[in-house]
Amino acid sequence: MADRPDPPSNDQFRVGWICALPTEMAAATAMLDQQFNSLVQDKSDHNSYAYGWIRHINVVIACLPAGLADTVTAATVASQMLRSFQSIKIGLMVGVGGGVPTPHKDIRLGDVVVSKPAGQSGGVVQYDRGKRTAGGVFEKTGVLNKPPDVLLNALNKLRADFERHAPQVEELLTETLRKTSPGMLNTFCRPDAVDKLYRPDYDHPRDTGDCTRCDPQKLVRRSQRTELKIHSGIIASGNSVIKDAAERDKISKDLGGILCFETEAAGLMDGFPCLVIRGICDYADSHKNNQWQRFAAATAAAYARMLVTIMPPSEVEKTQPAQ
C-alpha cells in the first residue's frame, strides 16, 4: 500500500465498519484500497480507528475494546463513532460467527452469512430477549431495525450477480491481500484444517484442545465442498457465546430457523442500523476452536468490500445519516 495521504475531513466519511476482534479489524483494514493518516476525534470518543477508502467511498473502521465483545459495548462503540463522524450513512458489522447447519442449509466453515430482513425482523434477532409462554414456546419481544435501502439494494444486486456467476469471494480475498497486505496471505487464506461437523448429540471430550481424539464415527456425512457459499437470512445475536449443539438447535427452532450466532449486532440495530456480515468459523458447538477464525474473518471482510464497491455513490449520498 502506498504512503498514506492526509485524510478527508470527518464529515466526508460515509461507511462506518465495526468489528469485535483484532483479527477482524486486520482483515477489514486489508480490504481498503488506500489508508489515511489519523483524524481528530470527538473528545468523548475513545475508539481506535483505521481510515481509508474503497473505490473512493470513505470508510472508517472501529474495533471493540479487548475482552468486551457484547451488545452493550457494540452500541457504545457505534455511538462514539457517530459523534466523531456525523455524516456516516452506511453501517456494517463484519466478523466471525457460529454457523447453524441443517439438512436444508449446507453451511460450511468459511462460508459467509449476511443478515436479511424477513417479516417483522430486520435481519437480526436478539435471542436472549423474549419470554416463554406456558407451553414452553419462546416469544420474541421487540423488533430491531432493518438496514438502509441502499444496502439492501446492493445486497440484491450481489445476489443477482452470484446467480449468474459463482461467488468469487475467495479469489477477491487473495487478490486484495496480495495488493495491500501480502504478509497476511499465509495466515488469512484457507487453512489446512479439515472442516468437521459432528452430530448434535456428540460432545467434545473434556480436557482436550483440538478434535484429534473425537470419534470419527460421530461425524455428519456430507459431500465434499471447497467453494464458498453466501447465505442470507436471520442472524441470532446475544450476550453469550453458544458452544452447545443442542442449545444451538433449540434456539434456532424457537426463532423459526436462523443461520448463525454472534454477540454484538443486537446492540447496533436500533441506533446504528446496519448490515451484519459473518464468516463462519465454527458450528456453535462444543467442538468450537479458532483454526478457521482468520479465514472466516477475511471472507466476511472480502464480501463487505464487494458490497461497498457496487453501492452507487449517488444513492449513498441520498441516504440519511445513521444518527
Side-chain angles (χ1 to χ4, degrees):
M1 189 171 286
D3 292 339
R4 299 181 186 180
D6 291 333
S9 61
N10 289 41
D11 63 2
Q12 291 179 293
F13 283 82
R14 298 294 180 260
V15 176
W17 182 323
I18 296 179
C19 308
L21 303 172
T23 299
E24 298 168 353
M25 189 173 191
T29 305
M31 294 299 112
L32 297 172
D33 292 322
Q34 176 68 64
Q35 281 187 253
F36 301 140
N37 292 318
S38 297
L39 291 98
V40 176
Q41 298 171 208
D42 185 270
K43 62 182 180 180
S44 62
D45 179 2
H46 305 296
N47 294 335
S48 294
Y49 294 111
Y51 314 88
W53 74 50
I54 296 175
R55 297 283 175 90
H56 298 283
I57 293 180
N58 295 325
V59 179
V60 57
I61 302 168
C63 187
L64 272 58
L68 296 176
D70 56 59
T71 60
V72 174
T73 304
T76 300
V77 168
S79 175
Q80 293 182 4
M81 175 186 280
L82 293 177
R83 289 179 199 146
S84 294
F85 303 93
Q86 298 181 14
S87 296
I88 284 177
K89 302 187 176 193
I90 304 299
L92 298 174
M93 180 79 211
V94 186
V96 298
V100 184
T102 70
H104 308 292
K105 284 289 183 180
D106 181 29
I107 294 176
R108 306 284 179 104
L109 301 181
D111 282 1
V112 176
V113 170
V114 187
S115 62
K116 178 187 174 186
Q120 291 187 328
S121 169
V124 175
V125 175
Q126 188 166 355
Y127 65 83
D128 52 5
R129 180 183 177 186
K131 62 183 180 180
R132 290 202 177 274
T133 63
V137 177
F138 180 84
E139 290 184 356
K140 301 186 295 289
T141 57
V143 177
L144 300 174
N145 283 335
K146 70 178 182 67
D149 287 346
V150 65
L151 269 175
L152 298 179
N153 290 335
L155 178 61
N156 260 356
K157 174 65 166 57
L158 266 187
R159 291 180 67 194
D161 289 347
F162 293 159
E163 287 289 329
R164 298 172 55 238
H165 310 287
Q168 301 296 309
V169 176
E170 199 163 350
E171 291 82 353
L172 171 69
L173 169 60
T174 302
E175 177 187 342
T176 305
L177 290 180
R178 187 174 287 118
K179 290 179 180 177
T180 67
S181 307
M184 295 171 62
L185 275 170
N186 290 334
T187 53
F188 279 77
C189 285
R190 182 179 290 274
D192 294 331
V194 178
D195 181 353
K196 297 179 179 179
L197 173 63
Y198 288 93
R199 287 169 23 188
D201 59 355
Y202 178 64
D203 290 333
H204 188 75
R206 292 181 178 275
D207 303 321
T208 60
D210 58 26
C211 287
T212 53
R213 290 174 53 189
C214 291
D215 185 353
Q217 299 300 316
K218 304 296 185 181
L219 286 168
V220 175
R221 294 185 181 275
R222 301 184 294 177
S223 60
Q224 187 174 2
R225 170 161 74 81
T226 56
E227 72 278 6
L228 291 181
K229 286 190 175 183
I230 311 299
H231 311 270
S232 56
I234 304 300
I235 292 176
S237 181
N239 286 305
S240 58
V241 177
I242 303 299
K243 298 182 181 181
D244 180 89
E247 183 180 10
R248 172 198 71 197
D249 293 345
K250 185 179 189 312
I251 294 173
S252 180
K253 182 180 178 181
D254 285 345
L255 297 176
I258 60 170
L259 298 181
C260 79
F261 286 93
E262 59 91 76
T263 56
E264 300 87 30
L268 298 179
M269 298 304 289
D270 286 333
F272 189 73
C274 61
L275 197 70
V276 183
I277 303 170
R278 293 295 177 186
I280 300 303
C281 66
D282 59 66
Y283 292 119
D285 59 10
S286 60
H287 303 277
K288 178 183 176 73
N289 61 61
N290 293 329
Q291 292 177 311
W292 288 77
Q293 190 176 81
R294 284 186 172 86
F295 180 60
T299 59
Y303 181 89
R305 174 187 164 84
M306 296 175 81
L307 199 69
V308 173
T309 61
I310 66 168
M311 288 191 301
S314 59
E315 294 302 312
V316 173
E317 289 304 316
K318 294 176 187 176
T319 303
Q320 291 295 315
Q323 60 194 87

